[in-house]
Amino acid sequence: MLPILCKTLGATFMGICCLGAGLLCAGRLSARRKATQDAAALLQELQRSLQYSKENFYIALRESAQYCSFQTAAVPQMAPKTGGTHEEYVKRWLEAAGFKKSLTPKGYALLYGTLCELGKGTGQADIQRLEHKRLQLQEEAQLLGERERRDAKLYRALGGYGGLVVTLLLL
């Protein structure tokens, strides 16, 4: 009796794990799309901040992060490291906000490159650059949304069917 119960529980557990793996993969697609939308929103707020208040880049970045729904709760308190370069500060800021792990490599490179380029040109050129890169990030978010709609069902179905097959094989 006990071996049958253990076998049944083990098979059920494996089935649930396969289903969970499928749901996890589907959730990652959604998280990447949301992170890309947040990055575009961050650039939009940064553009507004630089356009209307003419603030220092670091202050504008901290203030813009407050409007972003991403993991930026502790990030605005970060200050540029003395002796560090602008690029190092941007890299640390993006890592602390969680953008490095959540964005696609293309989205991260786009956001990192945009933030590193700010301040190297005129104010109007920076604002135009932000607008152009924001539109690129929005296009990336749309592509990720289409991929999410297409692939999320597949991942959930594969997880469910894989779980069912594993359960039946183990019983």
Side-chain angles (χ1 to χ4, degrees):
M1 176 79 173
L2 188 59
I4 293 172
L5 180 64
C6 288
K7 185 177 180 180
T8 305
L9 286 175
T12 304
F13 178 72
M14 291 300 292
I16 292 171
C17 286
C18 289
L19 178 62
L23 293 174
L24 181 67
C25 288
R28 284 184 185 159
L29 292 175
S30 176
R32 283 207 165 168
R33 179 187 49 81
K34 288 177 185 175
T36 305
Q37 289 172 336
D38 273 349
L42 175 70
L43 290 184
Q44 184 175 11
E45 289 301 322
L46 188 58
Q47 179 185 359
R48 283 186 194 148
S49 182
L50 291 174
Q51 185 174 11
Y52 296 116
S53 64
K54 309 288 186 203
E55 293 176 337
N56 176 327
F57 167 76
Y58 302 106
I59 295 169
L61 184 61
R62 280 185 241 142
E63 287 182 3
S64 299
Q66 294 173 358
Y67 298 101
C68 185
S69 63
F70 206 66
Q71 308 168 8
T72 55
V75 175
Q77 279 68 28
M78 289 182 64
K81 184 176 149 184
T82 55
T85 65
H86 174 71
E87 288 80 10
E88 290 171 352
Y89 173 75
V90 168
K91 184 176 181 179
R92 281 194 333 270
W93 192 90
L94 290 174
E95 287 174 0
F99 281 112
K100 184 168 179 122
K101 293 180 183 176
S102 299
L103 292 174
T104 61
K106 178 183 176 184
Y108 178 77
L110 192 69
L111 183 61
Y112 175 73
T114 302
L115 294 178
C116 286
E117 291 173 1
L118 288 180
K120 294 183 179 178
T122 64
Q124 191 61 28
D126 285 344
I127 291 168
Q128 289 174 348
R129 183 179 300 117
L130 282 170
E131 177 66 19
H132 177 69
K133 299 299 183 173
R134 181 184 63 81
L135 292 174
Q136 286 182 333
L137 279 171
Q138 285 178 336
E139 288 175 13
E140 177 81 9
Q142 286 176 342
L143 292 174
L144 289 171
E146 292 170 10
R147 180 179 175 207
E148 177 188 354
R149 283 187 288 282
R150 184 187 70 227
D151 293 351
K153 287 181 183 178
L154 174 68
Y155 288 139
R156 286 191 296 267
L158 284 174
Y161 289 131
L164 181 64
V165 167
V166 167
T167 302
L168 292 175
L169 286 174
L170 291 175
L171 290 178

